[in-house]
Amino acid sequence: MEEFRLQKFLAAAGVASRRASEVIIAEGRVWVNGKRVTDPAVKVTQKDRVTVDGKPVRIARTKVYIMMNKPLSVISSASDDRERKCVVDLVDMPDVRLFPVGRLDYDTSGLILLTNDGDFMQRITHPSFEIWKTYEAVVKGTPKESELKKLREGVELEDGMTLPAHADVVGYKGNNAIVEITIREGRNRQVRRMLEKINHPVIALKRTQLGGLNVGALKEGEWRNLKRADFEALFGRTEAKEYGYV
Ligand code: URA
């Protein structure tokens, strides 16, 4: 039977990325067969009883990768203490411990990924991998070219300058413009704050794309498993191969 370092076991079970799993272990939150373990190198197999914060953890036999068009008024986490509906509740896979990859605001719709693979999660969310994220924002009024230029070059927010972005007006909805904006950071409410900064607050926000992966024809609330071409669109063909996704 395959043996795993405890840290890898937690990542493979979708508890957290490998790095974050190391912290969880060091914090003394992990028990193996009834004993607290703080060494991430301890070897475990699927037969061992591993718990995190008292909850059993196990590796699903297969890794699951899902793309979903998140509806509005659904929270992008695995659980909510205020009992609001969560993205994982929309996927009927009772035996799989799924986690959303990154976050979308409660009032943002669009493309979100879900997985039980901690390494995949890390590759999408870690800033060093620089996955570009594209949003379609209906904004108040119509930004001028000079205002879009500010978004492209970087605007000063309370948590610092934003990195260069792509921003264009791609359509209109009544008196309001639809701005397509692509960023490679993932700060809290970043797109809303950027557009607020140029005095065109967001009325509605949808994420359309992650890397080259488009939400496509999925309707709000719909989801599907990722296919080979989707991994290539996300990471590029070379990386997708190198990481073993295709
Ligand atoms: N930026 C936002 O403002 N909200 C999101 O949900 C994602 C990016």
Side-chain angles (χ1 to χ4, degrees), residues 27 75 87 104 137 196 205 218 244:
E27 287 171 347
I75 187 162
V87 278
L104 276 185
E196 180 85 47
L205 188 62
L218 281 183

Side-chain angles (χ1 to χ4, degrees), residues 104-105 108 135 189-192 205:
L104 276 185
D105 296 335
T108 302
Y135 298 84
R189 295 181 84 79
Q190 181 167 346
V191 171
R192 286 172 208 276
L205 188 62

Side-chain angles (χ1 to χ4, degrees), residues 32-224:
V32 179
N33 302 326
K35 285 205 187 109
R36 192 194 300 272
V37 174
T38 51
D39 177 0
V42 161
K43 293 278 188 350
V44 289
T45 71
Q46 269 149 304
K47 277 202 169 161
D48 290 306
R49 197 180 131 69
V50 179
T51 62
V52 176
D53 298 333
K55 294 198 191 103
V57 166
R58 60 189 178 79
I59 299 184
R61 252 170 252 116
T62 49
K63 289 186 182 159
V64 176
Y65 307 93
I66 284 172
M67 63 185 278
M68 175 189 285
N69 184 348
K70 176 184 117 43
L72 297 172
S73 310
V74 172
I75 187 162
S76 60
S77 66
S79 61
D80 181 44
D81 45 15
R82 286 161 58 191
E83 304 212 335
R84 289 171 296 181
K85 190 168 250 192
C86 302
V87 278
V88 297
D89 300 333
L90 303 178
V91 182
D92 187 21
M93 287 194 185
D95 295 337
V96 185
R97 197 176 145 105
L98 278 178
F99 288 85
V101 180
R103 294 184 35 223
L104 276 185
D105 296 335
Y106 189 66
D107 47 357
T108 302
S109 62
L111 181 57
I112 189 157
L113 302 174
L114 297 107
T115 189
N116 58 353
D117 177 350
D119 286 337
F120 177 81
M121 187 147 38
Q122 165 93 356
R123 285 194 177 113
I124 302 288
T125 52
H126 198 272
S128 65
F129 289 101
E130 287 196 353
I131 300 264
W132 290 85
K133 304 159 194 91
T134 302
Y135 298 84
E136 225 174 69
V138 180
V139 301
K140 196 139 189 275
T142 300
K144 294 195 221 50
E145 194 51 32
S146 58
E147 292 169 324
L148 293 171
K149 190 159 173 262
K150 286 187 192 158
L151 297 179
R152 291 177 193 139
E153 290 174 352
V155 287
E156 182 77 42
L157 300 179
E158 59 270 33
D159 49 0
M161 284 294 280
T162 58
L163 291 173
H166 301 285
D168 287 291
V169 172
V170 292
Y172 297 91
K173 207 167 186 182
N175 292 331
N176 301 315
I178 303 172
V179 174
E180 185 177 81
I181 178 164
T182 302
I183 59 173
R184 61 179 138 133
E185 301 168 275
R187 302 192 216 166
N188 196 25
R189 295 181 84 79
Q190 181 167 346
V191 171
R192 286 172 208 276
R193 290 190 288 137
M194 288 172 79
L195 285 154
E196 180 85 47
K197 185 75 190 188
I198 61 158
N199 299 316
H200 293 282
V202 168
I203 297 166
L205 188 62
K206 172 179 183 171
R207 181 155 70 190
T208 54
Q209 204 156 315
L210 278 168
L213 179 66
N214 197 291
V215 70
L218 281 183
K219 297 202 181 72
E220 284 188 17
E222 286 183 347
W223 60 271
R224 66 168 174 79

